[in-house]
């Protein structure tokens, strides 16, 4: 099946793959929790859009694309930053038997008990590592970070499971792109469908912009700090 690997990474001179445009092409229903398995949902969708954060998960999504018995387009956002990021690594074991593509990657660190977590942050792609490092710097243990690796078709069941796991947490979608770009408008609608207890998903992002980047490293870093602090609820 067709596979497009699109350069996408937020920086002062940003190479945007325009994920919002590919997501607009998805036939995923934003108001319906699909009454089917994730495998059936993938088979009936017209395409898949992913933003991968680990080498092993990239390997497994490409392997899935080749080995399944039907053909659908696959679009992968490919952040240049993760090619050399020291935390974006996988063990050799993760490429072998017993492992498969993960549509979401749950929290990997030891935090407070789930019912004491105050904030649940969903994100996708390289911004995860910025969030991870900022949380570690500030010694925060009550904020869970979940990576949505496959944005379309949206992994409703897996996301709903994470929302139920942290029943008292405020739910946030965090992205590095401006508010009117990226996966924000696509993801927030669907996360709200997954929330069955009255909670609503807010967001942390750059302000809406006609351009994907500022062109200034100083403004870029200022905006980056603002969105990370907003996502993790850090008040400086």
């Amino acid at each position: 099946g067709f596979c497009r690997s699109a350069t996408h990474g937020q920086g002062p001179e940003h190479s945007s793959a325009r994920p919002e445009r590919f997501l607009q092409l998805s036939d995923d229903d934003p108001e319906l929790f699909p009454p089917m398995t994730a495998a059936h949902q993938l088979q009936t969708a017209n395409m898949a859009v992913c933003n991968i954060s680990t080498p092993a998960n990239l390997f497994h999504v490409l392997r899935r694309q080749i080995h399944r018995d039907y053909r659908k387009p696959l679009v992968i956002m490919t952040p240049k930053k993760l090619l050399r990021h020291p935390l974006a690594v996988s063990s050799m074991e993760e490429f072998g038997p017993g492992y498969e593509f993960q549509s979401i990657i749950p929290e990997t660190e030891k935090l407070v008990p789930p019912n004491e977590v105050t904030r649940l942050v969903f994100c996708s792609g390289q911004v995860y590592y910025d969030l991870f490092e900022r949380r570690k710097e500030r010694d925060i243990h009550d904020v869970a970070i979940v990576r949505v690796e496959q944005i379309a078709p949206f992994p409703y069941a897996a996301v709903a499971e994470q929302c139920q796991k942290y029943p008292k947490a405020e739910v946030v979608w965090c992205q590095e792109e401006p508010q009117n770009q990226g996966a924000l408008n696509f993801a927030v609608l669907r996360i709200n469908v997954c929330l069955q207890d009255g909670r609503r998903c807010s967001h942390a992002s750059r302000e809406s912009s006609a351009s994907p980047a500022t062109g200034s490293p100083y403004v870029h870093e200022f905006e980056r700090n603002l969105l990370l602090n907003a996502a993790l609820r850090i008040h400086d």
Side-chain angles (χ1 to χ4, degrees):
F2 172 80
C3 177
R4 183 179 192 269
S5 181
T7 302
H8 182 73
Q10 185 69 36
E13 304 293 340
H14 177 40
S15 299
S16 177
R18 293 293 184 181
E20 64 277 4
R21 296 180 180 174
F22 290 103
L23 293 171
Q24 285 178 334
L25 298 175
S26 169
D27 62 359
D28 196 65
D29 191 330
E31 298 179 347
L32 175 67
F33 195 103
M36 60 185 75
T37 65
H40 188 200
Q41 183 191 6
L42 184 64
Q43 188 170 356
T44 57
N46 67 327
M47 65 187 300
V49 180
C50 297
N51 196 355
I52 309 297
S53 64
T54 72
N57 223 25
L58 177 60
F59 168 78
H60 286 298
V61 76
L62 293 174
R63 184 177 183 276
R64 181 184 75 175
Q65 183 75 358
I66 293 297
H67 283 278
R68 61 188 181 187
D69 57 2
Y70 58 90
R71 294 289 174 255
K72 297 289 179 72
L74 169 65
V75 178
I76 304 176
M77 304 299 127
T78 310
K80 293 178 290 184
K81 178 179 177 180
L82 298 192
L83 294 174
R84 58 185 183 276
H85 199 291
L87 295 178
V89 295
S90 301
S91 67
M92 289 300 296
E93 181 185 5
E94 292 176 281
F95 290 87
Y99 290 86
E100 61 183 5
F101 175 68
Q102 296 175 274
S103 60
I104 72 161
I105 300 180
E107 175 59 62
T108 58
E109 300 298 298
K110 185 176 180 180
L111 304 176
V112 298
N115 63 351
E116 295 179 17
V117 168
T118 61
R119 206 159 177 85
L120 171 58
V121 181
F122 288 102
C123 64
S124 191
Q126 70 180 25
V127 73
Y128 164 74
Y129 295 101
D130 292 334
L131 289 165
F132 180 88
E133 291 176 316
R134 181 61 55 88
R135 182 179 66 176
K136 186 176 181 179
E137 288 171 6
R138 298 305 182 96
D139 198 29
I140 297 171
H141 299 283
D142 62 350
V143 176
I145 307 173
V146 175
R147 286 168 272 180
V148 181
E149 301 279 286
Q150 177 181 287
I151 308 170
F154 195 74
Y156 288 92
V159 168
E161 182 180 354
Q162 293 300 307
C163 293
Q164 293 164 9
K165 181 179 179 179
Y166 305 104
K168 298 180 181 178
E170 297 176 351
V171 181
V172 183
W173 173 265
C174 179
Q175 67 175 35
E176 58 195 347
E177 299 90 352
Q179 181 179 347
N180 60 325
Q181 300 174 33
L184 190 153
N185 292 316
F186 186 92
V188 169
L189 282 173
R190 289 158 177 80
I191 293 172
N192 283 332
V193 170
C194 297
L195 289 166
Q196 304 291 328
D197 53 10
R199 288 181 292 172
R200 307 297 288 174
C201 181
S202 59
H203 69 270
S205 68
R206 288 177 164 84
E207 294 183 358
S208 293
S209 172
S211 168
T214 66
S216 164
Y218 304 105
V219 175
H220 169 77
E221 188 62 21
F222 176 76
E223 293 178 341
R224 174 180 170 275
N225 285 325
L226 283 181
L227 74 90
L228 294 178
N229 290 347
L232 298 173
R233 201 169 55 187
I234 296 172
H235 304 289
D236 286 333

